[in-house]
Amino acid sequence: MLSIAALQAVVTATPFDGEPSDAELDAIETEMPLILAEVDLLDAQIMTLDRPATVLDERRIRRARNRVMAARRDLTNRAGTVQSGGAA
């Protein structure tokens, strides 16, 4: 019969500390302009939930959508230029 205790050390060798790794923090930092643009769009949409949208509200939402699209474009273009594997 195989003992489970011998396998447990392999499974629980590195406990999860609940903190993001440096790579995850770098990814968040890279995506931060997109995150902030999406938050601005959400704020503009929330403002129009309980009342009819005015011309100013429509303009604010349209500009926020354009900022989200620009941030997505920039993030995609930046990801396309990054080369992995140590290539120069």
Side-chain angles (χ1 to χ4, degrees):
M1 182 170 182
L2 183 62
S3 174
I4 296 175
L7 299 176
Q8 185 178 7
V10 175
V11 175
T12 60
T14 56
F16 179 68
D17 62 355
E19 297 294 324
S21 67
D22 289 339
E24 291 170 333
L25 291 174
D26 289 340
I28 292 170
E29 186 67 29
T30 302
E31 295 178 7
M32 190 55 69
L34 176 60
I35 294 168
L36 294 175
E38 289 175 340
V39 168
D40 288 341
L41 175 59
L42 186 60
D43 286 342
Q45 291 171 335
I46 287 172
M47 285 193 285
T48 62
L49 286 177
D50 61 345
R51 60 183 168 87
T54 64
V55 175
L56 181 62
D57 292 331
E58 292 172 3
R59 191 179 313 159
R60 185 178 294 126
I61 291 172
R62 185 176 59 246
R63 288 181 181 170
R65 282 186 184 141
N66 289 338
R67 282 192 297 271
V68 168
M69 294 302 291
R72 284 182 184 167
R73 180 197 62 219
D74 294 342
L75 184 62
T76 302
N77 289 339
R78 197 174 322 127
T81 60
V82 174
Q83 297 183 4
S84 61

